[in-house]
Amino acid sequence: MAIFVDPPLWPAHGTHFSHLISDTSLEELHAFAAAAGIPDRAFDGDHYDVPERRFDELVAAGALPVEARILVRKLISCGLRIPARQRDKSLKLPLLNRWNTIMPGHDALFLDLLDRWGEEHRKYHGRTHLLAVLEALDVLTEPAGSPRTVLLAAWFHDAVYRGVAGQDEEESARLAEDRLARAGLPDAEIEEVARLVRLTSDHRPEPGDDDGALLCDADLSVLGGEPEQYARYLAAVREDYAHIADADFAGGRAAVVRQLLELDPLFHRQRARELWLDAARRNLQGELRRPGAGPADCVSPQSEAHLQA
């Protein structure tokens, strides 16, 4: 029997939730959940969401406590993990729960952002990426949590996405300025959210910009994923740029990867470096060594300008 539970870090419904998984089979997971009295509605495809009040009880019943990142790795390695992009259509509720912790009562703005993140042309830069960034922020700031401005910047940072590097971030920042002003946020908060959104264009916060570093680290956390996760990321990014010819994409992507490897630091916060830096360097260097990874100088300037991480 191999049942695992991560710490109750995930906020919703006025409490925090843990994830309960099996690294053997869903049958084993369902049996454990039934014996523990966890309702069927708590099952979410490859795990159960359980409130923090049940954590000690589940550990006493035999669930092994592990860090969130370890739990995800176990789920991936056993083949039970549902790829994030397959969840895209079912993310309304978890995203709504998160939205209500920072902007309760602004349902129209939530639905506008949800629609934007769910646009059909998005493959990687969709709702699953948004949720992944929000979850990475949780991990980096536990147990205190992120400032509201950082969370709002995460919500807006790819709210406009046409696959044009620099322009997308600028238009997303302007959208944040407009929508948050309408929502009645103080000018200082709006200015900070827009500043943070613009930072995701090059992921180069100034020294001492802790909030900028936090958002940039969370946005690039996918680079430090396990090999299968990174392969899914690459496949989704290629679909995002399906309109670009293979040769131009290969050259443009190689340029992006080299720019990422030249970032010093790639991750700014100590926690982010511990979690993702080694794997990110392996993934990026391995990508450059793959057959078909074009040299940076074989791409047209127009195509390179359209590629983002």
PDB file of all heavy atoms in Angstrom, residues 243-267:
ATOM      1  N   HIS A 243       1.735  28.346 -36.179  1.00  0.00           N
ATOM      2  CA  HIS A 243       1.726  29.182 -37.382  1.00  0.00           C
ATOM      3  C   HIS A 243       3.144  29.506 -37.876  1.00  0.00           C
ATOM      4  O   HIS A 243       3.305  30.093 -38.941  1.00  0.00           O
ATOM      5  CB  HIS A 243       0.992  30.495 -37.101  1.00  0.00           C
ATOM      6  CG  HIS A 243       1.551  31.274 -35.950  1.00  0.00           C
ATOM      7  ND1 HIS A 243       1.358  30.894 -34.640  1.00  0.00           N
ATOM      8  CD2 HIS A 243       2.317  32.407 -35.904  1.00  0.00           C
ATOM      9  CE1 HIS A 243       1.971  31.766 -33.838  1.00  0.00           C
ATOM     10  NE2 HIS A 243       2.559  32.675 -34.585  1.00  0.00           N
ATOM     11  N   ILE A 244       4.164  29.129 -37.107  1.00  0.00           N
ATOM     12  CA  ILE A 244       5.555  29.403 -37.497  1.00  0.00           C
ATOM     13  C   ILE A 244       6.164  28.129 -38.078  1.00  0.00           C
ATOM     14  O   ILE A 244       6.006  27.039 -37.513  1.00  0.00           O
ATOM     15  CB  ILE A 244       6.369  29.894 -36.291  1.00  0.00           C
ATOM     16  CG1 ILE A 244       5.824  31.246 -35.807  1.00  0.00           C
ATOM     17  CG2 ILE A 244       7.842  30.020 -36.631  1.00  0.00           C
ATOM     18  CD1 ILE A 244       6.540  31.820 -34.610  1.00  0.00           C
ATOM     19  N   ALA A 245       6.856  28.251 -39.191  1.00  0.00           N
ATOM     20  CA  ALA A 245       7.464  27.097 -39.851  1.00  0.00           C
ATOM     21  C   ALA A 245       8.482  26.423 -38.936  1.00  0.00           C
ATOM     22  O   ALA A 245       9.074  27.060 -38.058  1.00  0.00           O
ATOM     23  CB  ALA A 245       8.136  27.540 -41.155  1.00  0.00           C
ATOM     24  N   ASP A 246       8.687  25.128 -39.166  1.00  0.00           N
ATOM     25  CA  ASP A 246       9.556  24.340 -38.285  1.00  0.00           C
ATOM     26  C   ASP A 246      10.953  24.935 -38.153  1.00  0.00           C
ATOM     27  O   ASP A 246      11.496  25.036 -37.040  1.00  0.00           O
ATOM     28  CB  ASP A 246       9.669  22.903 -38.799  1.00  0.00           C
ATOM     29  CG  ASP A 246       8.385  22.101 -38.574  1.00  0.00           C
ATOM     30  OD1 ASP A 246       7.540  22.548 -37.767  1.00  0.00           O
ATOM     31  OD2 ASP A 246       8.240  21.041 -39.207  1.00  0.00           O
ATOM     32  N   ALA A 247      11.552  25.324 -39.271  1.00  0.00           N
ATOM     33  CA  ALA A 247      12.921  25.838 -39.218  1.00  0.00           C
ATOM     34  C   ALA A 247      12.991  27.137 -38.436  1.00  0.00           C
ATOM     35  O   ALA A 247      13.895  27.342 -37.614  1.00  0.00           O
ATOM     36  CB  ALA A 247      13.457  26.042 -40.628  1.00  0.00           C
ATOM     37  N   ASP A 248      12.036  28.024 -38.672  1.00  0.00           N
ATOM     38  CA  ASP A 248      12.021  29.287 -37.944  1.00  0.00           C
ATOM     39  C   ASP A 248      11.754  29.051 -36.464  1.00  0.00           C
ATOM     40  O   ASP A 248      12.368  29.698 -35.608  1.00  0.00           O
ATOM     41  CB  ASP A 248      10.947  30.217 -38.518  1.00  0.00           C
ATOM     42  CG  ASP A 248      11.445  30.991 -39.737  1.00  0.00           C
ATOM     43  OD1 ASP A 248      12.660  30.942 -40.006  1.00  0.00           O
ATOM     44  OD2 ASP A 248      10.616  31.623 -40.405  1.00  0.00           O
ATOM     45  N   PHE A 249      10.837  28.125 -36.172  1.00  0.00           N
ATOM     46  CA  PHE A 249      10.558  27.853 -34.763  1.00  0.00           C
ATOM     47  C   PHE A 249      11.793  27.281 -34.075  1.00  0.00           C
ATOM     48  O   PHE A 249      12.123  27.681 -32.947  1.00  0.00           O
ATOM     49  CB  PHE A 249       9.391  26.878 -34.606  1.00  0.00           C
ATOM     50  CG  PHE A 249       9.134  26.514 -33.167  1.00  0.00           C
ATOM     51  CD1 PHE A 249       8.386  27.355 -32.352  1.00  0.00           C
ATOM     52  CD2 PHE A 249       9.668  25.362 -32.612  1.00  0.00           C
ATOM     53  CE1 PHE A 249       8.172  27.049 -31.004  1.00  0.00           C
ATOM     54  CE2 PHE A 249       9.459  25.046 -31.279  1.00  0.00           C
ATOM     55  CZ  PHE A 249       8.709  25.890 -30.479  1.00  0.00           C
ATOM     56  N   ALA A 250      12.479  26.335 -34.719  1.00  0.00           N
ATOM     57  CA  ALA A 250      13.650  25.713 -34.098  1.00  0.00           C
ATOM     58  C   ALA A 250      14.711  26.758 -33.788  1.00  0.00           C
ATOM     59  O   ALA A 250      15.303  26.765 -32.697  1.00  0.00           O
ATOM     60  CB  ALA A 250      14.213  24.630 -35.014  1.00  0.00           C
ATOM     61  N   GLY A 251      14.961  27.663 -34.739  1.00  0.00           N
ATOM     62  CA  GLY A 251      15.957  28.694 -34.497  1.00  0.00           C
ATOM     63  C   GLY A 251      15.524  29.676 -33.430  1.00  0.00           C
ATOM     64  O   GLY A 251      16.309  30.074 -32.562  1.00  0.00           O
ATOM     65  N   GLY A 252      14.261  30.080 -33.482  1.00  0.00           N
ATOM     66  CA  GLY A 252      13.755  31.019 -32.481  1.00  0.00           C
ATOM     67  C   GLY A 252      13.736  30.420 -31.098  1.00  0.00           C
ATOM     68  O   GLY A 252      14.089  31.083 -30.113  1.00  0.00           O
ATOM     69  N   ARG A 253      13.333  29.157 -31.005  1.00  0.00           N
ATOM     70  CA  ARG A 253      13.302  28.489 -29.700  1.00  0.00           C
ATOM     71  C   ARG A 253      14.717  28.338 -29.149  1.00  0.00           C
ATOM     72  O   ARG A 253      14.948  28.515 -27.946  1.00  0.00           O
ATOM     73  CB  ARG A 253      12.621  27.127 -29.829  1.00  0.00           C
ATOM     74  CG  ARG A 253      12.566  26.319 -28.544  1.00  0.00           C
ATOM     75  CD  ARG A 253      11.735  26.979 -27.476  1.00  0.00           C
ATOM     76  NE  ARG A 253      11.933  26.309 -26.184  1.00  0.00           N
ATOM     77  CZ  ARG A 253      11.387  26.701 -25.043  1.00  0.00           C
ATOM     78  NH1 ARG A 253      10.602  27.759 -25.013  1.00  0.00           N
ATOM     79  NH2 ARG A 253      11.619  26.051 -23.918  1.00  0.00           N
ATOM     80  N   ALA A 254      15.683  28.020 -30.012  1.00  0.00           N
ATOM     81  CA  ALA A 254      17.071  27.910 -29.553  1.00  0.00           C
ATOM     82  C   ALA A 254      17.554  29.232 -28.985  1.00  0.00           C
ATOM     83  O   ALA A 254      18.265  29.271 -27.967  1.00  0.00           O
ATOM     84  CB  ALA A 254      17.967  27.462 -30.704  1.00  0.00           C
ATOM     85  N   ALA A 255      17.150  30.332 -29.623  1.00  0.00           N
ATOM     86  CA  ALA A 255      17.541  31.647 -29.117  1.00  0.00           C
ATOM     87  C   ALA A 255      16.929  31.904 -27.754  1.00  0.00           C
ATOM     88  O   ALA A 255      17.590  32.429 -26.848  1.00  0.00           O
ATOM     89  CB  ALA A 255      17.113  32.730 -30.107  1.00  0.00           C
ATOM     90  N   VAL A 256      15.654  31.535 -27.586  1.00  0.00           N
ATOM     91  CA  VAL A 256      14.994  31.712 -26.296  1.00  0.00           C
ATOM     92  C   VAL A 256      15.690  30.889 -25.221  1.00  0.00           C
ATOM     93  O   VAL A 256      15.941  31.368 -24.105  1.00  0.00           O
ATOM     94  CB  VAL A 256      13.500  31.310 -26.400  1.00  0.00           C
ATOM     95  CG1 VAL A 256      12.864  31.225 -25.018  1.00  0.00           C
ATOM     96  CG2 VAL A 256      12.740  32.321 -27.259  1.00  0.00           C
ATOM     97  N   VAL A 257      16.010  29.634 -25.545  1.00  0.00           N
ATOM     98  CA  VAL A 257      16.660  28.757 -24.563  1.00  0.00           C
ATOM     99  C   VAL A 257      18.015  29.316 -24.160  1.00  0.00           C
ATOM    100  O   VAL A 257      18.370  29.326 -22.967  1.00  0.00           O
ATOM    101  CB  VAL A 257      16.795  27.331 -25.126  1.00  0.00           C
ATOM    102  CG1 VAL A 257      17.681  26.468 -24.227  1.00  0.00           C
ATOM    103  CG2 VAL A 257      15.424  26.691 -25.287  1.00  0.00           C
ATOM    104  N   ARG A 258      18.767  29.827 -25.125  1.00  0.00           N
ATOM    105  CA  ARG A 258      20.073  30.406 -24.789  1.00  0.00           C
ATOM    106  C   ARG A 258      19.913  31.649 -23.910  1.00  0.00           C
ATOM    107  O   ARG A 258      20.699  31.880 -22.988  1.00  0.00           O
ATOM    108  CB  ARG A 258      20.836  30.737 -26.070  1.00  0.00           C
ATOM    109  CG  ARG A 258      21.321  29.496 -26.819  1.00  0.00           C
ATOM    110  CD  ARG A 258      22.243  29.848 -27.981  1.00  0.00           C
ATOM    111  NE  ARG A 258      22.788  28.636 -28.583  1.00  0.00           N
ATOM    112  CZ  ARG A 258      22.256  28.009 -29.613  1.00  0.00           C
ATOM    113  NH1 ARG A 258      21.162  28.483 -30.181  1.00  0.00           N
ATOM    114  NH2 ARG A 258      22.799  26.914 -30.097  1.00  0.00           N
ATOM    115  N   GLN A 259      18.899  32.447 -24.189  1.00  0.00           N
ATOM    116  CA  GLN A 259      18.648  33.623 -23.350  1.00  0.00           C
ATOM    117  C   GLN A 259      18.324  33.206 -21.918  1.00  0.00           C
ATOM    118  O   GLN A 259      18.779  33.835 -20.953  1.00  0.00           O
ATOM    119  CB  GLN A 259      17.501  34.439 -23.938  1.00  0.00           C
ATOM    120  CG  GLN A 259      17.860  35.173 -25.222  1.00  0.00           C
ATOM    121  CD  GLN A 259      16.644  35.718 -25.936  1.00  0.00           C
ATOM    122  OE1 GLN A 259      15.532  35.675 -25.426  1.00  0.00           O
ATOM    123  NE2 GLN A 259      16.842  36.231 -27.148  1.00  0.00           N
ATOM    124  N   LEU A 260      17.544  32.136 -21.780  1.00  0.00           N
ATOM    125  CA  LEU A 260      17.206  31.655 -20.443  1.00  0.00           C
ATOM    126  C   LEU A 260      18.452  31.142 -19.720  1.00  0.00           C
ATOM    127  O   LEU A 260      18.644  31.403 -18.526  1.00  0.00           O
ATOM    128  CB  LEU A 260      16.151  30.553 -20.528  1.00  0.00           C
ATOM    129  CG  LEU A 260      14.748  31.006 -20.944  1.00  0.00           C
ATOM    130  CD1 LEU A 260      13.868  29.802 -21.276  1.00  0.00           C
ATOM    131  CD2 LEU A 260      14.102  31.841 -19.838  1.00  0.00           C
ATOM    132  N   LEU A 261      19.302  30.416 -20.430  1.00  0.00           N
ATOM    133  CA  LEU A 261      20.521  29.899 -19.809  1.00  0.00           C
ATOM    134  C   LEU A 261      21.489  31.014 -19.431  1.00  0.00           C
ATOM    135  O   LEU A 261      22.307  30.857 -18.521  1.00  0.00           O
ATOM    136  CB  LEU A 261      21.214  28.911 -20.756  1.00  0.00           C
ATOM    137  CG  LEU A 261      20.550  27.535 -20.877  1.00  0.00           C
ATOM    138  CD1 LEU A 261      21.154  26.757 -22.030  1.00  0.00           C
ATOM    139  CD2 LEU A 261      20.681  26.756 -19.570  1.00  0.00           C
ATOM    140  N   GLU A 262      21.386  32.145 -20.124  1.00  0.00           N
ATOM    141  CA  GLU A 262      22.255  33.277 -19.814  1.00  0.00           C
ATOM    142  C   GLU A 262      21.744  34.129 -18.656  1.00  0.00           C
ATOM    143  O   GLU A 262      22.486  34.978 -18.143  1.00  0.00           O
ATOM    144  CB  GLU A 262      22.404  34.156 -21.065  1.00  0.00           C
ATOM    145  CG  GLU A 262      23.242  33.501 -22.163  1.00  0.00           C
ATOM    146  CD  GLU A 262      23.156  34.247 -23.481  1.00  0.00           C
ATOM    147  OE1 GLU A 262      22.473  35.301 -23.516  1.00  0.00           O
ATOM    148  OE2 GLU A 262      23.750  33.776 -24.465  1.00  0.00           O
ATOM    149  N   LEU A 263      20.487  33.919 -18.244  1.00  0.00           N
ATOM    150  CA  LEU A 263      19.972  34.674 -17.112  1.00  0.00           C
ATOM    151  C   LEU A 263      20.785  34.334 -15.868  1.00  0.00           C
ATOM    152  O   LEU A 263      20.970  33.155 -15.540  1.00  0.00           O
ATOM    153  CB  LEU A 263      18.492  34.343 -16.872  1.00  0.00           C
ATOM    154  CG  LEU A 263      17.478  34.920 -17.844  1.00  0.00           C
ATOM    155  CD1 LEU A 263      16.068  34.434 -17.488  1.00  0.00           C
ATOM    156  CD2 LEU A 263      17.508  36.443 -17.842  1.00  0.00           C
ATOM    157  N   ASP A 264      21.260  35.332 -15.186  1.00  0.00           N
ATOM    158  CA  ASP A 264      22.058  35.117 -13.978  1.00  0.00           C
ATOM    159  C   ASP A 264      21.588  36.097 -12.902  1.00  0.00           C
ATOM    160  O   ASP A 264      21.955  37.278 -12.933  1.00  0.00           O
ATOM    161  CB  ASP A 264      23.538  35.312 -14.292  1.00  0.00           C
ATOM    162  CG  ASP A 264      24.435  34.950 -13.110  1.00  0.00           C
ATOM    163  OD1 ASP A 264      23.936  34.262 -12.191  1.00  0.00           O
ATOM    164  OD2 ASP A 264      25.608  35.352 -13.117  1.00  0.00           O
ATOM    165  N   PRO A 265      20.744  35.605 -12.008  1.00  0.00           N
ATOM    166  CA  PRO A 265      20.327  34.211 -11.860  1.00  0.00           C
ATOM    167  C   PRO A 265      19.103  33.868 -12.711  1.00  0.00           C
ATOM    168  O   PRO A 265      18.351  34.759 -13.095  1.00  0.00           O
ATOM    169  CB  PRO A 265      19.962  34.125 -10.383  1.00  0.00           C
ATOM    170  CG  PRO A 265      19.435  35.495 -10.078  1.00  0.00           C
ATOM    171  CD  PRO A 265      20.249  36.450 -10.906  1.00  0.00           C
ATOM    172  N   LEU A 266      18.944  32.565 -12.981  1.00  0.00           N
ATOM    173  CA  LEU A 266      17.729  32.104 -13.648  1.00  0.00           C
ATOM    174  C   LEU A 266      16.563  32.165 -12.671  1.00  0.00           C
ATOM    175  O   LEU A 266      15.473  32.627 -13.000  1.00  0.00           O
ATOM    176  CB  LEU A 266      17.929  30.675 -14.170  1.00  0.00           C
ATOM    177  CG  LEU A 266      16.712  30.006 -14.820  1.00  0.00           C
ATOM    178  CD1 LEU A 266      16.189  30.822 -15.996  1.00  0.00           C
ATOM    179  CD2 LEU A 266      17.072  28.582 -15.270  1.00  0.00           C
ATOM    180  N   PHE A 267      16.789  31.682 -11.456  1.00  0.00           N
ATOM    181  CA  PHE A 267      15.825  31.813 -10.360  1.00  0.00           C
ATOM    182  C   PHE A 267      16.451  32.686  -9.279  1.00  0.00           C
ATOM    183  O   PHE A 267      17.642  32.577  -8.988  1.00  0.00           O
ATOM    184  CB  PHE A 267      15.457  30.442  -9.786  1.00  0.00           C
ATOM    185  CG  PHE A 267      14.696  29.575 -10.758  1.00  0.00           C
ATOM    186  CD1 PHE A 267      15.319  28.509 -11.402  1.00  0.00           C
ATOM    187  CD2 PHE A 267      13.367  29.823 -11.040  1.00  0.00           C
ATOM    188  CE1 PHE A 267      14.628  27.714 -12.293  1.00  0.00           C
ATOM    189  CE2 PHE A 267      12.663  29.041 -11.939  1.00  0.00           C
ATOM    190  CZ  PHE A 267      13.296  27.983 -12.560  1.00  0.00           C
TER     191      PHE A 267
END
